[in-house]
Amino acid sequence: MASSRRGLLLAFLLSSLPAMSVAAPPQNDPYIWLEQISSPESLQWVEKENSRSLAVLETDPRYAGLYADAVKIAEATDRIPMPNQIGDQITNFWQDANHVHGIWRTTTPASYASATPQWRTLLDLDALSTAEKTGWVWKGANCEPVGERLCLLNLSNGGEDATTQREFDLGSAAMVPNGFTLPTSKQNLTWESADSLLVARDWGPGTMTASSYPFVVKRLRRGQPLEQAVEIFRGKSTDVSADPNSFVDGQGNRLTVIERGVTFFESELFAVDGAKTTKLDLPTKFRLQGFAANQLLLRIDQDWKGLKAGSLVGYRIANGKVAEQQLIFAPGPRQSIDEVSTTRGHVLAVIYDNVRGQALSFAPGASGWTAKRIPLPDNASIGIVSTDRLSEDAYLNVQSFTVPTTLWLADAAQASAREIKAMPGRFNAAGLVTEQFEATSKDGTKIPYFIVHRADIKYDGSTPTLLNAYGGFQVSETPVYQSTRGKLWLEKGGAYVLANIRGGGEFGPAWHEAGLKTKRQVIYDDFASVAEDLIKRRITSPRRLGIYGGSNGGLLMGVEMTQRPDLWNAVAIEIPLLDMLRYEQLSAGSSWVGEYGSMSVPAERAFWEKTSPYQALRRDGKYPEPFIWTTTKDDRVGPVQARKFAARMKEYGLPYLYWENTEGGHAAGANLKQAARAIALEMTYFTRKLMDPVEPPSAR
C-alpha cells in the first residue's frame, strides 16, 4: 500500500454500527479460516497451491532462461550504488550474489565520484543474520541530524513493516554498547537530541490502533529502559497513527512536531516544546516535506488561506504558532509536485508537467522564494536521491522507459548539474519508440498513457502488450527504466503501457480525489478506456493484451478481471486487496477508509457489494486464467485476500494460478533472488498467455 498511515479505524466503526457489526465474519464466506495467516491448515493450503502452480510455471521450458536473466540483472555489480549523504561521507546499502542480505558501507564524496569507489563496510547483514539466526532485511538508517554519527538501524525480520531499532556508531562501525535498542514493533521515532528520542510504538495494551500503528508518543532518554519513557502525546484510538519528526535546517534552526494522522489524508500537526504540545493552525490535508530557512515545508492538498491545493508552502513557527505563510510553488493544471528535499540553503523540488519531470531549486529571499530550473534531460523521470543539510550538493537520478538510469551531482545554489554515473543498458532498446496518447474515459475525461513498442509493429492487433497502472493514494506513475521487464518482455517483441488513471497524483489532489470512495468506478473506467483505445488503434487485441498491478493496483486488477474479462487474456494480481467487504478487519486495512470508504456507511458498502472482486466472482464467469501471487510476511495488506480469492475460484471450477512467497513483506521478496523469481514466474505466465501462438491449457 502506498503508505502505512491514515484512515478511520475499527474502534470508531464498532461504536457506530448497528447490530450487524462489520467485525463479524460473513456467514456466507467459507474461507475465513484462510485469514489465520500462519495456522497449520492455512500453510498446508499454501504449500499445496504453490506446488500445483509452480509445476506449471517452473517446468515451462522458458522459465529457466527468464529466471537466469532476471537474477543476472538483479545481482549485476555494475549497478549504480545509490548514495546517501550523512555528514561528510557517502553511505550505500548493497546487495549482490555474495551479499544476499546486504552490506551497509561508506566512502568519501571524492572516492564516490570516481569510477571505482573505495568502500569501507559498516555492517554485514549476512553475518548478522547468521549470528542471530534471523533473516534480517534492511529498512534503512535514521541518523541524528546534528552530529551525524549516531544512527538507528531499522531491521526487519523477513521484510515485515515491523522493525527492530538498534543504535549504531558510524565512526567505530559498531553497535553502540548499551545504546538505544527498541524491540520489534511498528514504530515511528525521531532524534530529539543525541541523547533523547521521541518514540511512537507499541507501549502495551491500548496504545496501537486497529490499523496496527502507534498513537502514543513518549520521550526516551539515553540509559532509560522503555518502561520509564515519559508520555508527551496521546492521539485517539480512532486515529491511524502518530508520527514524531524533529528537523534541523542548514542554519541550525530546530523544530520538533508530532503529526496526528486522523485519517489517511487528514492530519493535525503539533509543535513540541519540552513536555508541551501545541496544535498548529494548518490545513488538515498536507504532506510534510522538510524544514528550510526556519520554515516548515508542506505540500498542501486543499485550498488554504488564498493558496491552491497542490502548492508547496513554507510556514514559520514561533512560540507554538504559525507566524508566517510563504508560497514557494503553485502548480499549473497539468502539473504536480512529486518530491521535495532540502540542502543547506535551498529547497529542491521535482515537478511533473504532463507526466514529464523537471527539477527546480528554490532560494529564500527578503521578498519570498525564487526558483531556478536545473538543466536535466527532458521527457524523463527525475528523482531526488540524496541531500544533506550542511551541503549544497544533491544527487539526482534521471531515467526513462528506454534510457537507463543516470546519476547527476547538482549544486542547488548554482542550479547546475553534471552526470557522474550511468547504468549500462540491460536490454536492447534499438528500434523501440515511446509514445504518449490519450484515451477518453466513460465520462469524457482524457486519460494519458505511455506506450513503448517496436517501431515496426504491425497495426493488426497482434502485438503482445502489458498494461499497468496503480490508480490510488495520490501516487504518481512516471516513465522509469524497467531493466528486467525490458529484457524479458520488450526485447522479445512485446509492448508495455503505463496508464495515468485517476486516483493517482499525476495532476495534483483533484486527480486523486476524483476517484475516492463511491466515486471509484471512474478509476476502473479509466483503465478500461486505455485498453479499448489500444485495441481501437489496433496496437493489440484482447487475445494479446495482459494486465498487472500490485497492492491497490492488485485491487484494480481484480476489479478489471471481474468487470471487463472481455478485454484481456492474462491478469497478474500482485499482493492485492480483493475482499473489500472485510478489508477493514485485515492487516492494516482500517487505515485506508479515507481512500476506499467504510462498510459502516451504507452507500459505501453498497458500492463495494457490487464491485469487490471476491464477491463479484461468478461460477459461470468467462474470466482469463489469472496469476495471483502474494507474500506470507506482508503485514500491511496481508496474504489472506489473495488466498480467499483463489479458493473461491477453485470452488467455482474457474482456472487460476496461485503462488505465495513465504518472505518479502509488502514486496516481491526479501532478497534479490526472491524478487527475480517473482518476476520470472510472472513473465513466464505472460509469455505463455500472450506470446504463444496457441494458448496453453489452463491449470485447474
Side-chain angles (χ1 to χ4, degrees):
M1 193 52 55
S3 173
S4 63
R5 344 179 15 258
R6 317 241 204 303
L8 298 175
L9 303 181
L10 181 59
F12 169 77
L13 297 176
L14 294 179
S15 67
S16 62
L17 290 179
M20 185 188 68
S21 169
V22 297
Q27 295 183 5
N28 62 344
D29 188 347
Y31 302 114
I32 290 292
W33 59 276
L34 284 171
E35 295 181 5
Q36 301 301 312
I37 294 175
S38 299
S39 71
E41 295 80 9
S42 292
L43 294 180
Q44 184 179 24
W45 180 92
V46 169
E47 182 179 4
K48 184 177 180 180
E49 290 293 326
N50 280 357
S51 297
R52 183 186 67 86
S53 297
L54 294 177
V56 174
L57 296 175
E58 290 187 335
T59 60
D60 186 287
R62 291 155 296 196
Y63 170 77
L66 293 171
Y67 176 63
D69 283 342
V71 170
K72 182 179 179 181
I73 290 171
E75 295 184 340
T77 57
D78 58 357
R79 286 174 285 140
I80 298 175
M82 289 300 175
N84 182 38
Q85 297 157 272
I86 303 178
D88 59 355
Q89 59 187 307
I90 300 293
T91 65
N92 165 258
F93 183 73
W94 182 261
Q95 292 176 298
D96 58 27
N98 297 318
H99 306 95
V100 176
H101 291 274
I103 54 172
W104 192 35
R105 56 189 187 172
T106 184
T107 191
T108 65
S111 178
Y112 179 77
S114 70
T116 56
Q118 300 301 303
W119 296 102
R120 176 173 67 97
T121 298
L122 295 168
L123 178 69
D124 186 330
L125 212 56
D126 292 86
L128 184 67
S129 296
T130 299
E132 299 185 352
K133 295 182 174 61
T134 303
W136 289 121
V137 173
W138 180 257
K139 292 284 187 175
N142 179 355
C143 299
E144 195 277 318
V146 176
E148 295 188 304
R149 174 176 173 132
L150 300 176
C151 300
L152 285 163
L153 307 186
N154 302 285
L155 304 176
S156 165
N157 183 359
E160 299 172 335
D161 284 351
T163 61
T164 296
Q165 305 274 339
R166 296 183 184 175
E167 189 177 8
F168 189 88
D169 188 319
L170 287 176
S172 63
M175 300 292 182
V176 176
N178 302 313
F180 288 114
T181 301
L182 286 81
T184 300
S185 174
K186 287 186 178 180
Q187 51 192 326
N188 309 309
L189 52 90
T190 191
W191 291 89
E192 191 179 32
S193 71
D195 295 313
S196 177
L197 304 177
L198 296 184
V199 182
R201 58 168 283 118
D202 187 350
W203 300 102
T207 62
M208 300 287 279
T209 67
S211 309
S212 72
Y213 298 108
F215 67 93
V216 175
V217 180
K218 296 187 180 184
R219 178 176 286 114
L220 180 66
R221 299 192 184 278
R222 186 172 297 281
Q224 276 187 324
L226 279 178
E227 57 269 21
Q228 291 183 9
V230 176
E231 181 177 321
I232 66 165
F233 179 85
R234 179 178 289 261
K236 297 181 179 180
S237 61
T238 53
D239 293 342
V240 173
S241 66
D243 301 301
N245 284 279
S246 188
F247 300 103
V248 183
D249 69 10
Q251 294 72 48
N253 300 302
R254 192 154 200 160
L255 177 67
T256 300
V257 297
I258 294 173
E259 183 179 359
R260 176 194 169 209
V262 181
T263 74
F264 198 92
F265 303 108
E266 298 172 301
S267 296
E268 295 176 348
L269 209 59
F270 294 78
V272 178
D273 182 7
K276 182 181 179 182
T277 59
T278 306
K279 183 181 174 183
L280 297 170
D281 182 23
L282 293 167
T284 58
K285 293 183 178 181
F286 64 83
R287 298 281 179 93
L288 274 173
Q289 302 291 288
F291 187 58
N294 201 26
Q295 293 183 29
L296 182 66
L297 308 178
L298 303 182
R299 190 194 75 193
I300 60 171
D301 288 342
Q302 66 185 89
D303 293 344
W304 179 259
K305 295 187 176 181
L307 301 179
K308 63 177 292 188
S311 297
L312 180 62
V313 186
Y315 294 93
R316 187 168 62 85
I317 311 299
N319 301 317
K321 294 182 179 180
V322 176
E324 185 180 8
Q325 169 182 282
Q326 285 191 353
L327 175 66
I328 301 175
F329 178 80
R334 299 292 282 182
Q335 291 182 319
S336 64
I337 299 170
D338 193 64
E339 289 185 84
V340 177
S341 193
T342 61
T343 63
R344 182 175 61 207
H346 292 76
V347 173
L348 292 181
V350 172
I351 310 299
Y352 276 87
D353 193 332
N354 203 29
V355 206
R356 289 172 164 84
Q358 56 183 281
L360 302 179
S361 178
F362 296 91
S367 58
W369 294 81
T370 57
K372 292 182 179 179
R373 182 171 178 175
I374 299 175
L376 292 168
D378 291 326
N379 299 322
S381 289
I382 297 171
I384 301 174
V385 178
S386 175
T387 61
D388 184 75
R389 75 176 188 90
L390 295 180
S391 169
E392 294 294 355
D393 288 347
Y395 293 91
L396 310 175
N397 65 33
V398 180
Q399 59 186 311
S400 68
F401 290 120
T402 56
V403 178
T405 302
T406 55
L407 186 69
W408 295 65
L409 178 59
D411 183 324
Q414 299 299 319
S416 62
R418 59 186 177 90
E419 181 182 319
I420 62 169
K421 294 184 185 294
M423 186 180 77
R426 301 303 186 199
F427 61 91
N428 183 4
L432 292 177
V433 295
T434 300
E435 297 180 287
Q436 188 180 32
F437 296 125
E438 285 186 339
T440 302
S441 194
K442 197 172 183 178
D443 64 359
T445 302
K446 299 298 183 181
I447 309 301
Y449 68 90
F450 292 97
I451 178 168
V452 186
H453 62 86
R454 292 189 59 84
D456 59 356
I457 63 169
K458 297 178 180 179
Y459 289 89
D460 60 359
S462 64
T463 301
T465 301
L466 295 182
L467 169 59
N468 172 241
Y470 187 75
F473 294 91
Q474 207 169 331
V475 173
S476 298
E477 293 288 339
T478 61
V480 298
Y481 188 78
Q482 297 191 50
S483 300
T484 311
R485 292 191 191 276
K487 181 69 176 178
L488 275 57
W489 188 255
L490 290 175
E491 195 176 277
K492 299 182 188 305
Y496 170 75
V497 179
L498 179 65
N500 300 116
I501 61 179
R502 281 174 285 186
E506 291 87 347
F507 304 120
W511 194 249
H512 167 239
E513 292 173 359
L516 285 179
K517 298 184 178 180
T518 58
K519 297 183 289 184
R520 204 161 194 84
Q521 186 59 45
V522 301
I523 294 172
Y524 308 133
D525 292 341
D526 289 355
F527 190 82
S529 75
V530 172
E532 291 169 337
D533 198 65
L534 290 166
I535 295 166
K536 182 180 179 180
R537 293 176 187 273
R538 296 184 58 78
I539 291 171
T540 191
S541 60
R543 168 67 182 85
R544 299 296 179 186
L545 180 56
I547 58 177
Y548 74 93
S551 192
N552 171 74
L555 169 62
L556 172 65
M557 296 303 109
V559 173
E560 297 297 342
M561 189 189 93
T562 53
Q563 286 191 357
R564 295 300 308 271
D566 57 305
L567 289 177
W568 10 79
N569 193 42
V571 182
I573 304 174
E574 309 165 352
I575 48 178
L577 292 90
L578 293 167
D579 182 358
M580 298 306 290
L581 297 189
R582 276 187 60 72
Y583 88 94
E584 292 167 88
Q585 280 66 59
L586 302 174
S587 299
S590 60
S591 65
W592 308 321
V593 170
E595 179 80 12
Y596 300 124
S598 171
M599 299 311 102
S600 67
V601 178
E604 292 166 2
R605 182 180 181 91
F607 171 80
W608 286 114
E609 282 177 340
K610 65 180 181 181
T611 310
S612 173
Y614 182 55
Q615 285 74 23
L617 278 171
R618 297 292 178 262
R619 291 181 184 273
D620 59 353
K622 304 298 182 183
Y623 309 115
E625 178 186 44
F627 177 39
I628 309 157
W629 66 264
T630 187
T631 67
T632 307
K633 281 191 170 288
D634 181 0
D635 55 351
R636 196 179 309 176
V637 169
V640 300
Q641 300 187 57
R643 291 176 181 179
K644 291 168 61 179
F645 191 78
R648 173 132 302 165
M649 292 197 76
K650 183 175 183 179
E651 175 193 345
Y652 289 174
L654 301 170
Y656 69 94
L657 293 168
Y658 179 90
W659 176 61
E660 184 172 319
N661 188 11
T662 56
E663 290 188 297
H666 193 56
N671 57 56
L672 298 176
K673 278 191 170 65
Q674 288 183 11
R677 186 188 189 197
I679 195 168
L681 288 170
E682 186 169 290
M683 298 312 294
T684 301
Y685 162 78
F686 279 131
T687 300
R688 289 165 57 88
K689 290 291 185 182
L690 305 179
M691 288 188 169
D692 283 353
V694 177
E695 187 173 353
S698 297
R700 292 179 181 267

